Amino acid sequence: VPSRKPNETLSQFAIRVAWEYGHFWSPDNPEGSNISFNDLANLKPSDPVVVQAMISLAKMDSTAYTKLSLVHHGRPPSFDGDAEDPAMAAMVESDRCPIPDYLPPPGTECAFEDPNVQAVVEKMQKGTEEAIASGGWPNCHGAVNYHCMAIRVNPAGMNPKYAHLWKKIMQNVQKANCEIGLLMRFIGMDGKDLLTGETWTSNINSELTFVQSSSGWIGLAIVGQSESCGSKIWLKLLATYTGGNTDPVMEQQISALLLHEGGHNMGLMHTNGGIMNPSMTQGNPVGQWPPNDPSRPRLRSLYSGVPVPIPGGGTPNPNPNPVPDTLEKRVRDLEVRNIVNEVTMQWCVSEIRKLKGT
Ligand SMILES: [Zn+2]
């Protein structure tokens, strides 16, 4: 999570954050790829390339931007790309996943201050869209006709507040991924499957560790690039983040966080809304990818979408009805959702005004 440098104006900071999160390579910003890191200091908020980058950044996490627009302006967001807007200023300073939303083109020089983020981006730049088109770990670890990966969990440093929920959290994430066609196994430091107790003699594909501090992120993971049985990547969780104070909230939020970071390991990039939203959202179901999650089409293409059995019993949730595939229907559904959102926001605004007595 970038922090403002001493000599940086607010808009310069916002422009740099938009660059670090990949919004100069967004498909909505075709001129942006002509900009190099060294050009950023010379850009003005009114430059079209900056306006497009700010619009792209706001649209990538419209949940956070909508909330901030309500707080700062008492109205729904306008998505005007103003780098000096208070809601945008709050947006670039708020916590979110540091993995860029769009892949920097090969050869783009990226120098992130956080070495973990730099490692993630360098690996992403080596990959290509084609390389990750068929999902990771196909038929690995004795799986027949499906994908299977093993994550070794080093519990050292795990927050004791949710340690008693950890088994449920792993089960939730495993169940969600079994439903879309990937068996994700969690292996202890003693070499035993943490959910079934079976001895694991095969490779480890990802190392999960807890860190006690970060540059602002709560989770970080290598974005998988069609990983094989023999390759190894990693996933880190910030131990001080608990997601809440009650067991149900902690279980829900840490499950969603682990599903998000595991999703990066599985090759997923961010989406606007859903589990792969750049910042944490509330209310996601546990034990499944939300039925309308924008990652579902990508998950289906990477992992088939055909449920696989959960070791030791249990069955994945039945696959929800597929996303409607005609464009007209999707547009209609979006229009309905837009109107619902709009009306909800207007209601919220009037409630806020009542509370403020204006
Ligand atoms: Zn992320």
Side-chain angles (χ1 to χ4, degrees):
V1 177
S3 56
R4 205 166 147 186
K5 289 173 181 163
N7 297 326
E8 219 167 24
T9 66
L10 193 57
S11 59
Q12 279 172 336
F13 174 58
I15 291 166
R16 180 167 63 85
V17 170
W19 194 88
E20 292 192 0
Y21 290 152
H23 293 276
F24 281 82
W25 306 287
S26 150
D28 294 338
N29 195 5
E31 300 299 317
S33 51
N34 300 325
I35 304 293
S36 76
F37 185 79
N38 292 329
D39 297 331
L40 296 182
N42 302 320
L43 292 175
K44 294 186 298 295
S46 57
D47 289 334
V49 78
V50 171
V51 171
Q52 289 308 317
M54 302 319 294
I55 293 172
S56 176
L57 177 67
K59 284 187 172 171
M60 190 68 221
D61 190 351
S62 58
T63 308
Y65 187 58
T66 299
K67 284 181 190 161
L68 291 168
S69 295
L70 286 166
V71 168
H72 288 272
H73 300 299
R75 58 155 171 78
S78 53
F79 295 98
D80 57 5
D82 180 1
E84 292 171 309
D85 173 74
M88 185 59 82
M91 176 121 180
V92 297
E93 282 179 325
S94 55
D95 291 340
R96 54 153 273 172
C97 183
I99 296 178
D101 301 322
Y102 296 101
L103 190 68
T108 309
E109 207 179 307
C110 288
F112 292 87
E113 278 172 29
D114 183 329
N116 289 315
V117 178
Q118 180 70 16
V120 171
V121 175
E122 280 177 14
K123 168 98 162 112
M124 283 167 88
Q125 282 183 297
K126 281 185 201 144
T128 65
E129 198 65 19
E130 290 75 46
I132 60 171
S134 57
W137 315 284
N139 306 309
C140 290
H141 314 303
V144 180
N145 295 331
Y146 59 89
H147 303 256
C148 179
M149 75 171 294
I151 298 183
R152 177 157 51 200
V153 179
N154 186 340
M158 183 192 303
N159 195 312
K161 278 188 188 158
Y162 64 72
H164 65 293
L165 300 169
W166 183 249
K167 188 174 176 188
K168 272 178 155 178
I169 290 164
M170 290 186 293
Q171 282 168 334
N172 292 335
V173 171
Q174 184 179 70
K175 191 176 176 189
N177 286 328
C178 277
E179 186 215 303
I180 56 89
L182 168 71
L183 172 56
M184 187 177 264
R185 304 193 78 143
F186 295 95
I187 311 300
M189 302 306 282
D190 60 358
K192 291 206 168 101
D193 185 308
L194 288 163
L195 296 175
T196 66
E198 292 165 77
T199 300
W200 184 256
T201 53
S202 193
N203 295 324
I204 296 296
N205 302 118
S206 183
E207 299 279 0
L208 189 162
T209 53
F210 292 89
V211 300
Q212 299 303 317
S213 66
S214 77
S215 62
W217 46 263
I218 55 174
L220 188 62
I222 291 284
V223 178
Q225 315 271 351
S226 194
E227 300 301 317
S228 66
C229 300
S231 63
K232 193 181 279 189
I233 53 181
W234 52 257
L235 187 169
K236 296 175 200 281
L237 300 180
L238 178 66
T240 51
Y241 177 81
T242 61
N245 293 312
T246 64
D247 282 3
V249 175
M250 283 192 288
E251 181 188 339
Q252 185 197 47
Q253 291 297 93
I254 302 295
S255 295
L257 178 62
L258 183 55
L259 197 54
H260 179 109
E261 302 308 335
H264 281 313
N265 273 182
M266 289 156 65
L268 296 181
M269 302 274 283
H270 288 144
T271 55
N272 175 29
I275 293 292
M276 298 310 292
N277 195 65
S279 66
M280 289 292 285
T281 55
Q282 311 290 316
N284 291 306
V286 293
Q288 68 175 135
W289 287 84
N292 59 348
D293 195 290
S295 288
R296 274 192 175 271
R298 183 91 180 122
L299 285 167
R300 262 200 303 279
S301 74
L302 292 176
Y303 298 100
S304 84
V306 177
V308 299
I310 298 173
T315 46
N317 290 309
N319 245 320
N321 293 330
V323 176
D325 55 1
T326 67
L327 185 60
E328 293 87 333
K329 180 155 184 350
R330 267 191 247 178
V331 170
R332 278 201 307 278
D333 288 349
L334 275 175
E335 282 168 347
V336 170
R337 204 160 61 178
N338 258 338
I339 291 167
V340 170
N341 289 346
E342 191 80 15
V343 172
T344 308
M345 280 191 280
Q346 283 164 2
W347 179 83
C348 290
V349 169
S350 72
E351 290 299 302
I352 290 167
R353 290 201 172 131
K354 271 187 237 162
L355 284 172
K356 285 184 167 171
T358 55

